[in-house]
Amino acid sequence: MSRSRISRVVVTPVAFGDPPLLNVVGVHQPYALRAIVEVHTDSGLLGLGETYADEAHLGRLDAVAAALPGHDPYDLNGLRRLVTEVLGRETGGASASFGGMLDVSSAVDTVHSPFEVACLDLQGREAGVPVSDLLGGAVRERVPFSGYLFYKWAGHPGHADDAWGEALTPDQVVDQARRMVDGWGFGSLKLKGGVLPPDEECAAIEALRDAFPDLPLRLDPNGAWTVDTSVKVADRLAGVVEYLEDPTPGIEGMAAVSARTDVPLATNMCVIAMEHLPPAIAQGAVQVVLSDHHLWGGLRKSALLGGITEVWGMGLSMHSNSHLGVSLAAMVHLAAATPNLTYACDTHYPWKTEDVIAPDVLSFESGSVAVPTASGLGVELDRDALGALHEQYLGCGVRRREDTAYMRSIRPDFSPHTSRW
Ligand SMILES: O=C([O-])C(=O)C[C@H](O)[C@@H](O)C(=O)[O-]
Ligand SMILES: [Mg+2]
């Protein structure tokens, strides 16, 4: 039997409504962008992937998409070589940056990821097995997620208030959490910090502790605090949070905090590629790494990360950015096949009201999603929804994630800087 070959690749940028969620670098714009990647084969198979859709990233995706016809969808090492060659030609190997928050040292990892996911999806469809099987087999039937809480305005300026309302006080954060827990059943909660002075964010965590005595809690200020402030917060929240995520920037800074507290430190900022692991481990900088297949080079490399953290006795959680259902499916398969997943994964999923996949396949019950057992990722594109969200992309004017620029258009004196407190 002759092997199928990639015959056509389609990259579709889409925009979906996003509430004004606050963070250390600013505020989410009214629309979040994603790119949906379709990899078709000459045997009629289709595999799906999802990734960021910032302009520069789209240019790189298009360049790889144009080079893929004729490639064997089972040759994932060859896919990575091809991405490396194409990007070397296109960008001279320049790095990629997303939203002013994450500097990704390797554009190759980020561009490779959605094509790798799509190839695994179509391999699973051809073999009649779920992607989790291709990653070694599911070790859990359901994947737990944490409810992701944000400080937020009631609505985008100039628009009607959204359904969530304002969250700027501890009571409002508790109300938001109650809605997350009632609606999705989350069994743990993460608060995105770095927005208000640390005392106010500690008070919100303490209010959450009072309201939800049994739920593990996390606070993530994205490096907004100095080392001394981080230690003070750790002292105050010891026994209250299961971990502090990126309290201060950089491996050295995290190591300095870690030396002065027993509260576990987690990161998706100072360890975001394989080459960051040796110095972080040598300095004892972090106890928990947040994987993210979009940034770490796909599902197989993220599974490798899971193995490395296991070897070194580190915890593993999963990072999220605003995303749609194709990404959620990939996250669920990866988490299902990762034995060392020691914490519930992050997801922005409850914040969106639109999607590109047919509904009801990935539903939250008790804060977890059942691992799809259908072939591949187990999700199908809703072509009408994809078309509508692409039209929305064309019309909305947003072309890259710009939390800081958008915040400055509302508050001109806003200045984003880490270690600000
Ligand atoms: O854990 C994190 O650092 C994130 O989830 C990063 C995101 O960009 C988050 O801060 C957001 O959506 O504003
Ligand atoms: Mg984080």
Side-chain angles (χ1 to χ4, degrees):
M1 193 180 78
S2 68
R3 298 277 286 259
S4 57
R5 296 276 159 179
I6 294 173
S7 56
R8 196 163 61 92
V9 179
V10 184
V11 178
T12 308
V14 296
F16 59 100
D18 201 17
L21 308 179
L22 297 160
N23 60 38
V24 72
V25 293
V27 59
H28 286 207
Q29 295 144 281
Y31 294 95
L33 307 182
R34 297 296 271 181
I36 303 302
V37 170
E38 295 173 51
V39 174
H40 296 264
T41 67
D42 51 14
S43 55
L45 285 166
L46 163 62
L48 300 175
E50 179 185 327
T51 179
Y52 312 94
D54 290 39
E55 258 171 340
H57 186 53
L58 273 182
R60 295 176 187 131
L61 294 172
D62 284 341
V64 171
L68 268 175
H71 190 82
D72 177 350
Y74 287 82
D75 180 14
L76 299 178
N77 290 329
L79 170 66
R80 198 177 165 86
R81 270 198 312 278
L82 183 137
V83 172
T84 308
E85 277 164 28
V86 171
L87 294 196
R89 273 202 307 274
E90 293 288 318
T91 69
S95 68
S97 167
F98 297 94
M101 184 124 49
L102 294 169
D103 283 319
V104 180
S105 56
S106 165
V108 171
D109 279 331
T110 321
V111 173
H112 176 253
S113 177
F115 298 109
E116 187 239 31
V117 172
C119 286
L120 288 167
D121 184 23
L122 68 80
Q123 287 178 25
R125 286 171 194 255
E126 187 157 59
V129 299
V131 165
S132 57
D133 277 7
L134 301 176
L135 298 174
V139 296
R140 50 186 66 82
E141 289 175 4
R142 305 190 66 85
V143 169
F145 287 86
S146 61
Y148 202 157
L149 311 176
F150 279 82
Y151 289 108
K152 69 180 288 295
W153 299 327
H156 285 282
H159 295 69
D161 290 357
D162 59 48
W164 290 89
E166 182 180 270
L168 294 171
T169 66
D171 284 349
Q172 289 173 324
V173 169
V174 168
D175 288 346
Q176 186 187 98
R178 207 170 291 292
R179 196 180 157 129
M180 284 267 178
V181 171
D182 290 349
W184 286 265
F186 292 115
S188 60
L189 295 168
K190 160 168 168 170
L191 175 61
K192 171 61 50 177
V195 174
L196 300 176
D199 275 348
E200 293 181 44
E201 298 191 351
C202 286
I205 290 288
E206 286 159 352
L208 287 168
R209 169 50 66 242
D210 290 344
F212 304 94
D214 301 326
L215 265 49
L217 303 173
R218 313 162 184 178
L219 176 58
D220 175 11
N222 286 112
W225 307 332
T226 63
V227 168
D228 283 342
T229 301
S230 303
V231 173
K232 274 189 211 133
V233 171
D235 287 347
R236 177 164 169 183
L237 296 182
V240 179
V241 286
E242 59 178 343
Y243 57 67
L244 278 180
E245 191 173 315
D246 290 306
T248 204
I251 290 174
E252 282 76 21
M254 292 284 275
V257 177
S258 190
R260 293 166 58 191
T261 180
D262 290 333
V263 174
L265 301 187
T267 186
N268 66 272
M269 294 181 78
C270 71
V271 179
I272 55 169
M274 292 295 176
E275 63 264 31
H276 303 144
L277 284 163
I281 292 169
Q283 294 177 47
V286 296
Q287 289 70 47
V288 183
V289 177
L290 275 73
S291 72
D292 183 332
H293 75 270
H294 307 90
L295 295 167
W296 282 83
L299 297 177
R300 293 186 323 144
K301 226 172 148 189
S302 301
L304 176 63
L305 170 66
I308 294 172
T309 56
E310 189 171 356
V311 168
W312 288 95
M314 303 166 91
L316 186 73
S317 187
M318 191 183 283
H319 169 254
S320 137
N321 271 308
S322 305
H323 66 91
L324 297 170
V326 178
S327 277
L328 181 64
M331 291 157 75
V332 166
H333 283 283
L334 172 63
T338 304
N340 186 43
L341 183 78
T342 48
Y343 294 94
C345 305
D346 290 351
T347 180
H348 286 60
Y349 212 57
W351 291 107
K352 58 142 207 60
T353 52
E354 301 162 294
D355 210 335
V356 293
I357 60 164
D360 300 332
V361 181
L362 302 167
S363 53
F364 285 81
E365 265 173 50
S366 307
S368 66
V369 175
V371 183
T373 50
S375 317
L377 290 174
V379 292
E380 304 296 336
L381 278 183
D382 174 336
R383 295 265 166 209
D384 291 341
L386 180 71
L389 294 195
H390 178 59
E391 284 302 314
Q392 191 154 271
Y393 168 82
L394 295 176
C396 76
V398 177
R399 287 295 173 267
R400 69 191 77 89
R401 182 174 170 186
E402 289 186 299
D403 296 19
T404 305
Y406 178 52
M407 176 63 107
R408 281 195 180 135
S409 73
I410 299 154
R411 302 212 172 136
D413 59 347
F414 177 79
S415 117
H417 55 88
T418 47
S419 300
R420 81 171 55 151
W421 285 292

